[in-house]
Amino acid sequence: MHSRINSGLILGIESSCDETAAAVVRRGSETLSNVVASQIATHLPYGGVVPELASREHLRNILPVVHAALRESGATFTDLDAIAVTEGPGLAGALLVGVSYAKALAFALDKPLIAVNHLEGHIHAVLLQQAQLAAQSEEPADLELPALALVVSGGHTHLYLARRQGEGWSYQNVGRTLDDAAGEAFDKAAKLLGIGYPGGPWIDALAPYGNPDAVPFSFAQIKPKAHRKDQSTDPISTFFSFSGIKTAVLRYTQIHNMSARIEERRRKLLENPEMRAHEVLTFFDQQTLDLIASFQRAVVDDLRRKTFRAAENLGAASLLISGGVAANRELRVRFTADAAERGLPIAFPSLSLSTDNAAMIAAAAWPKLEAGIFAPETLSADPALALGR
Ligand code: KG4
Ligand code: ZN
């Protein structure tokens, strides 16, 4: 065992977007606590994340969240082997709150600081989940490699080929979106239909009440011709594009004169922010529910088709699906069925590990602690930080 490892406990801190999160994870495989303070209520009236408000909320929440994570874990600051923090990508001001706090804490405690890429965190959410299932002896821990990881969230729709490299991991970026991320498309389509923020969970909950075949979103709307040249010269083989389908949703509402209904719904939902999907069903006509179901089906199908094609082309031995959109029920069902048909192992994080959290940051930091890869004292936030080659 390395001398730098005693308890194996890492405190993870995450503040890249609109969740302030802290967690204590042992040896990258056992979650002792996982605390998330959501800012949904703050951003709801604006229909999206307001960066300035996000930073302020992080500042307000970071200390109570870290203290709660430690309290729930039963560990003390002195028990920790390291502090891990999200370095990027994300909102600059939001990231800075977590990075500044983690640096100060590591300095004060004289503990090593580990910088984690948020996207690597999402991939490790799946590995953490697998390790936890293995500990309950429900499933084997090790996924076959190389694994194709789809990170599909509000800010990203990326494909990575993940391999073990020494004590750590290596990632090859083999796919990305040319414009909006899939989660962004969920959020923007929801906003267009007068549904609250974030839109993904709402669309997920409402889609089962609509007919997914009602509105034929064509493939061309998801994969615009304008980018074909880009595709032939870029070494990355898979491209997503979700801005077209958002425009198609807007056009559909205009052609079908839905604006009055949308405005009425927006007002009612803002007046009743606590209502659950089944309670707000009366605010939705069948045409809107059909549009929602068709939208979700089109996005999930596009993600599924391209991910499985990439897996085949690249010879991936397994699939890891993570990020906020990986919480989507239709996505899980359809990806799982497709994987079973092809005999390809597939793994998702639990729902709470799919969306932003700090357990995934602490888990991703574990191989770095083992390898002695620590952040410099000059660490700063990097809003555009990339992962892999
Ligand atoms: O990973 P995440 O929490 O934050 C980012 O790193 O972006 O992802 C948030 C995104 C939002 O766009 C949200 O609408 C979407 O994930 N999302 C969902 C679901 N839950 C969250 N999208 C579809 N279905 C869901 N159940
Ligand atoms: Zn995320």
Side-chain angles (χ1 to χ4, degrees):
M1 187 189 277
H2 299 264
S3 58
R4 63 181 81 95
I5 298 172
N6 294 306
S7 62
L9 296 178
I10 298 179
L11 169 69
I13 295 172
E14 153 66 37
S15 69
S16 66
C17 190
D18 59 346
E19 329 268 9
T20 319
V24 178
V25 176
R26 196 194 312 273
R27 308 183 73 82
S29 58
E30 188 193 345
T31 306
L32 273 62
S33 64
N34 188 14
V35 178
V36 180
S38 167
Q39 303 180 3
I40 287 177
T42 304
H43 303 291
L44 188 67
Y46 306 95
V49 178
V50 183
E52 176 76 21
L53 295 181
S55 309
R56 227 180 297 170
E57 283 299 298
H58 285 307
L59 207 49
R60 217 193 303 268
N61 291 332
I62 192 129
L63 260 166
V65 165
V66 168
H67 284 152
L70 273 176
R71 201 168 47 242
E72 284 180 27
S73 74
T76 63
F77 278 124
T78 43
D79 295 332
L80 302 172
D81 275 350
I83 319 291
V85 67
T86 304
E87 176 187 7
L91 300 169
L95 286 164
L96 272 174
V97 176
V99 169
S100 311
Y101 176 81
K103 277 172 79 171
L105 187 62
F107 179 75
L109 298 173
D110 196 22
K111 306 272 182 190
L113 179 66
I114 299 172
V116 175
N117 184 307
H118 182 79
L119 300 169
E120 184 175 18
H122 274 302
I123 294 171
H124 279 262
V126 189
L127 303 174
L128 172 59
Q129 174 76 10
Q130 289 294 106
Q132 286 175 164
L133 288 173
Q136 297 157 14
S137 69
E138 286 184 22
E139 270 179 39
D142 290 329
L143 274 166
E144 288 169 53
L145 301 175
L148 183 65
L150 170 66
V151 181
V152 64
S153 69
H156 304 274
T157 305
H158 281 177
L159 283 170
Y160 296 98
L161 207 53
R163 298 182 172 88
R164 290 234 53 143
Q165 192 176 56
E167 286 177 284
W169 287 79
S170 78
Y171 309 95
Q172 184 186 355
N173 186 200
V174 292
R176 63 178 167 87
T177 177
L178 294 165
D179 39 57
D180 293 351
E184 200 177 348
F186 270 93
D187 295 338
K188 286 179 175 172
K191 194 174 178 184
L192 283 172
L193 297 173
I195 309 172
Y197 172 85
W202 279 101
I203 288 182
D204 186 347
L206 291 163
Y209 299 97
N211 172 8
D213 300 316
V215 184
F217 289 112
S218 77
F219 200 61
Q221 285 166 331
I222 300 179
K223 187 180 168 193
K225 277 196 190 113
H227 297 295
R228 289 227 176 106
K229 196 169 128 271
D230 188 7
Q231 290 182 22
S232 62
T233 53
D234 199 311
I236 293 177
S237 50
T238 301
F239 288 88
F240 299 97
S241 168
F242 295 106
S243 72
I245 194 163
K246 168 200 67 191
T247 312
V249 169
L250 174 63
R251 212 175 307 124
Y252 185 93
T253 64
Q254 289 166 340
I255 291 167
H256 294 87
N257 299 316
M258 295 164 83
S259 63
R261 281 178 272 162
I262 290 168
E263 276 320 307
E264 191 187 345
R265 181 179 313 121
R266 195 188 312 280
R267 190 178 44 74
K268 283 185 183 162
L269 285 172
L270 269 178
E271 281 166 10
N272 301 281
E274 302 297 323
M275 278 183 139
R276 319 292 304 170
H278 66 274
E279 296 171 299
V280 302
L281 265 181
T282 50
F283 303 165
F284 290 85
D285 53 279
Q286 195 55 47
Q287 190 179 28
T288 304
L289 292 169
D290 290 347
L291 180 59
I292 287 170
S294 303
F295 165 84
Q296 178 170 285
R297 172 64 54 87
V299 172
V300 167
D301 264 356
D302 186 63
L303 287 168
R304 187 177 55 84
R305 259 196 306 264
K306 289 178 182 166
T307 302
F308 280 92
R309 195 173 58 213
E312 199 174 314
N313 291 345
L314 296 162
S318 62
L319 276 182
L320 312 182
I321 318 294
S322 65
V325 182
N328 186 272
R329 288 174 299 171
E330 180 167 0
L331 182 145
R332 285 182 178 235
V333 168
R334 293 176 75 80
F335 268 73
T336 303
D338 219 347
E341 208 169 282
R342 292 160 193 251
L344 196 61
I346 187 166
F348 296 90
S350 64
L351 291 185
S352 61
L353 288 176
S354 294
T355 47
D356 286 350
N357 65 87
M360 69 186 196
I361 303 303
W366 170 249
K368 298 184 199 298
L369 176 60
E370 284 188 299
I373 302 170
F374 301 122
E377 285 186 351
T378 52
L379 178 73
S380 186
D382 186 347
L385 186 66
L387 177 65
R389 295 175 274 131

